[in-house]
Amino acid sequence: MSTEDVLEVHLEELGQHSWWKALANTLSGSCGSAQFRFVARPPGPDDTTDDHVLGATFPVMRLQDLDDLREPNAWVDTAQDRLRELDARLVGEGWERRDTPHAHWWSLTYARP
């Protein structure tokens, strides 16, 4: 199976590839929050290719432990909803979720059958 047949879900800050977009993201957020999104892309270090599947954005407080799923982390419910939406989209496009070990609760892997 080639890397073109595999997608991994990553969490990224909106504008992470541009310092001025990241700054605007922080300044436009309320109380130091930033907009994040889940992105499904082929594995590997090159995250600049065009074959991404982008999820909807959601706010996260800066300096928050993103792996902490305990309440009162207000972002958790919205983030899990956004991940379910991305999962449904990928499955609808013919991707199958693989049961593989992952680093974070959102680090899902998909493959084409």
Side-chain angles (χ1 to χ4, degrees):
M1 186 176 307
S2 72
T3 58
E4 290 121 28
D5 300 322
V6 176
L7 293 178
E8 296 175 340
V9 175
H10 297 267
L11 178 64
E12 73 174 25
E13 181 180 352
L14 197 63
Q16 79 175 19
H17 303 291
S18 167
W19 69 267
W20 64 269
K21 286 182 182 178
L23 178 62
N25 184 21
T26 299
L27 295 176
S28 64
S30 61
C31 300
S33 67
Q35 294 292 311
F36 279 71
R37 66 182 171 196
F38 294 110
V39 177
R41 63 175 173 84
D46 183 18
D47 62 355
T48 59
T49 60
D50 292 331
D51 48 355
H52 291 77
V53 180
L54 304 176
T57 61
F58 53 91
V60 175
M61 294 300 295
R62 292 225 179 258
L63 305 176
Q64 185 167 352
D65 179 4
L66 301 177
D67 276 315
D68 186 2
L69 293 175
R70 294 172 294 160
E71 294 296 333
N73 290 335
W75 77 283
V76 171
D77 290 337
T78 304
Q80 289 174 330
D81 289 343
R82 296 299 178 262
L83 185 59
R84 281 190 288 272
E85 291 167 5
L86 182 60
D87 175 72
R89 179 176 170 190
L90 292 169
V91 170
E93 292 178 3
W95 293 92
E96 291 182 353
R97 190 170 347 136
R98 298 293 184 206
D99 188 24
T100 58
H102 41 272
H104 307 283
W105 61 266
W106 62 81
S107 302
L108 305 176
T109 302
Y110 295 82
R112 289 264 189 209

